[in-house]
Amino acid sequence: MKRFILFFLLVVGLQTAFATGYNNYKLSELRVEYLAASKDEDAAKEFYSKMEKYSGKEPVVIGYKAASEAVMAKYVWNPYFKMKHLNAAMELFDEAVAMNKVNPEIRFLRFVVEYHIPSYLNMSEHMKEDKAIVIESLVAHPKSGLNAPLARTMRDVLLEKERCTPEEKELLKSLKL
């Protein structure tokens, strides 16, 4: 009888995992898919379609779901739909941050999205706070929990363009990631 119960719980657990698409939302894959989506419309549509189906409660995955909404705003031409995607992205980012306020990956995603939103839309209110959390995590690396490739990517993106002050740039350049 104990074996039957154990087997039953295992089967139910596996069915639940597959039903929620657990295997389709690996962070290492989402990172690659998001990068591709930011550069290619077909990849963006595919990424959006995948993320739209996510109904779980993992904060970082919700962050990528928000990023998929923001990327779609880049590729639609209708201003109404651009705003619809951006508003959905901001709501999802708020949800993800509320679930994990100090996660540097969520904060990085939101920072990058807000950086690209035109300032006249007044939707970039979290950039300073998000950047500070990301930089703190990079300084604390590897104790921050970021893996080295992700930490290097975050640092390199922050060093591009005018995303950081000269002092922040010097600090980021001095990090051994």
Side-chain angles (χ1 to χ4, degrees), residues 43-63:
K45 289 176 181 176
E46 191 174 313
F47 184 56
Y48 174 75
S49 177
K50 174 182 179 173
M51 296 311 298
E52 187 178 36
K53 295 172 187 151
Y54 183 74
S55 59
K57 293 296 177 193
E58 177 59 39
V60 180
V61 179
I62 293 171

Side-chain angles (χ1 to χ4, degrees), residues 3-30:
R3 284 186 176 175
F4 174 76
I5 292 172
L6 186 59
F7 176 76
F8 178 75
L9 290 174
L10 178 64
V11 169
V12 169
L14 287 173
Q15 285 179 332
T16 302
F18 286 115
T20 60
Y22 176 77
N23 291 335
N24 292 330
Y25 300 98
K26 294 178 183 165
L27 289 180
S28 59
E29 293 173 8
L30 293 178

Side-chain angles (χ1 to χ4, degrees), residues 46-109:
E46 191 174 313
F47 184 56
Y48 174 75
S49 177
K50 174 182 179 173
M51 296 311 298
E52 187 178 36
K53 295 172 187 151
Y54 183 74
S55 59
K57 293 296 177 193
E58 177 59 39
V60 180
V61 179
I62 293 171
Y64 279 98
K65 184 174 182 175
S68 76
E69 289 281 356
V71 168
M72 283 307 296
K74 176 180 177 179
Y75 295 111
V76 296
W77 63 270
N78 185 315
Y80 171 77
F81 289 109
K82 282 185 180 292
M83 288 305 299
K84 186 175 177 182
H85 282 295
L86 286 176
N87 285 327
M90 293 302 116
E91 286 177 21
L92 287 165
F93 276 130
D94 288 346
E95 180 182 343
V97 169
M99 295 170 84
N100 190 336
K101 294 186 185 327
V102 295
N103 184 290
E105 191 163 2
I106 297 168
R107 296 301 190 115
F108 176 74
L109 288 169

